[in-house]
Amino acid sequence: MGFHATVFTLYPEMFPGPLGNSLSGKALKQKIWSLKTYQIRDFAVEHHHSVDDTPAGGGPGMIMKADILARAIDVSQTEYPCFLMSPRGRCFNQSMARELADLEGATFVCGRFEGVDERVIEARNLIEVSIGDYILSGGEIAVSVILDSVIRLLSGVMGNVESEYNESFENGLLEYPQYTRPQVFEGRSIPQVLSSGNHRAIAEWRKSQAEAITKARRPDLWSVYQRKHGKA
Ligand code: SAH
């Protein structure tokens, strides 16, 4: 039971990091998920323990060595899919979070420097995953982002199961605006319909708001939604 996360990194002290708090921290204590980190440097056999070398063909920066990473991955012998954090990868999204949450576990490799030797990606069938079109200095924060989104989907983690289905992306739309007390804040009232007690009217209002916000902010999501629902 539970989701087993394995992480290969040059900075194991970055874990669980933020995942040790709040929902994910509580779930970790409850063993709803587990975390095992490996220091990649421990698999370097050379006396100076170097894990990187200069790029073949020249150019700036350093490249993580294929042999050391391969040895690390082999030692852990996990039967779970192995993901390499990489800006070139498939862009992580909510449906990938759901796919991962259905697995018993996953292994994550964190790159550093200019990235990793291509041959280890091929030789160990690493699945490249990106968390967005920007460059981080390492894969650790990307793994934390992915794990955070996966953990909250594991059963027993979220208090209110319904809330995860209303959220942005789950139905192809961004979320409608939310309000809570006080009734009036700096002269701004909560939209009247929300106090009407009319659940159908509330649901309709929320849907129309979600559609309007998605149309205005995310034309990409909106066109997919339109095609699916035959909206003009
Ligand atoms: N030279 C590489 C970038 C290296 S950044 C390139 O141009 O593609 C160093 C490491 O940070 C990467 O190996 C990767 O593990 C991680 N990283 C950087 N940006 C990322 C992103 N958007 N998503 C996931 N991991 C990322």
Side-chain angles (χ1 to χ4, degrees):
M1 215 216 73
F3 182 88
H4 302 285
T6 305
V7 181
F8 292 98
T9 169
L10 289 169
Y11 298 95
E13 61 278 13
M14 286 177 77
F15 294 91
L19 300 176
N21 293 88
S22 189
L23 280 183
S24 52
K26 199 168 148 224
L28 186 58
K29 284 195 198 89
Q30 294 172 328
K31 299 193 170 29
I32 294 173
W33 69 289
S34 69
L35 177 66
K36 185 145 182 55
T37 54
Y38 288 94
Q39 167 59 269
I40 294 168
R41 209 172 288 284
D42 290 345
F43 299 89
V45 280
E46 297 155 54
H47 30 271
H48 49 295
H49 287 257
S50 81
V51 293
D52 56 326
D53 208 334
T54 55
M62 300 294 273
I63 307 298
M64 287 174 78
K65 290 156 72 73
D67 51 340
I68 294 169
L69 266 182
R71 198 176 303 129
I73 293 166
D74 293 347
V75 161
S76 77
Q77 286 177 332
T78 69
E79 68 264 44
Y80 309 124
C82 192
F83 297 95
L84 171 68
M85 299 303 106
S86 159
R88 302 187 317 185
R90 182 172 157 207
C91 200
F92 189 74
N93 60 21
Q94 190 64 19
S95 63
M96 287 168 78
R98 288 216 169 272
E99 283 170 33
L100 279 184
D102 282 337
L103 302 177
E104 281 170 34
T107 298
F108 301 92
V109 179
C110 303
R112 279 273 158 183
F113 319 116
E114 287 307 314
V116 312
D117 187 312
E118 190 72 21
R119 293 168 298 176
V120 71
I121 304 176
E122 296 165 9
R124 294 299 178 274
N125 293 315
L126 303 184
I127 307 161
E128 292 179 78
V129 182
S130 165
I131 63 158
D133 291 343
Y134 40 80
I135 306 293
L136 302 168
S137 50
E140 289 78 9
I141 291 174
V143 170
S144 303
V145 166
I146 290 174
L147 282 176
D148 185 274
S149 70
V150 170
I151 291 159
R152 60 190 290 289
L153 296 176
L154 300 175
S155 78
V157 176
M158 294 270 287
N160 180 358
V161 209
E162 216 184 292
S163 76
E164 65 183 69
Y165 293 103
N166 282 329
E167 271 158 354
S168 296
F169 309 119
E170 289 292 359
N171 53 9
L173 293 173
L174 300 178
E175 196 178 56
Y176 47 80
Q178 297 270 32
Y179 303 88
T180 188
R181 277 176 283 272
Q183 180 61 36
V184 180
F185 164 71
E186 296 184 353
R188 297 159 195 266
S189 303
I190 294 176
Q192 219 144 38
V193 63
L194 297 177
S195 322
S196 67
N198 181 340
H199 296 292
R200 212 175 123 188
I202 292 170
E204 274 165 18
W205 181 85
R206 285 179 167 166
K207 188 169 172 219
S208 70
Q209 289 286 314
E211 289 178 347
I213 287 171
T214 308
K215 190 175 177 184
R217 298 186 186 177
R218 292 290 301 272
D220 56 327
L221 295 178
W222 179 244
S223 67
V224 173
Y225 180 83
Q226 273 180 306
R227 247 178 283 136
K228 213 166 134 190
H229 294 83
K231 295 252 175 190

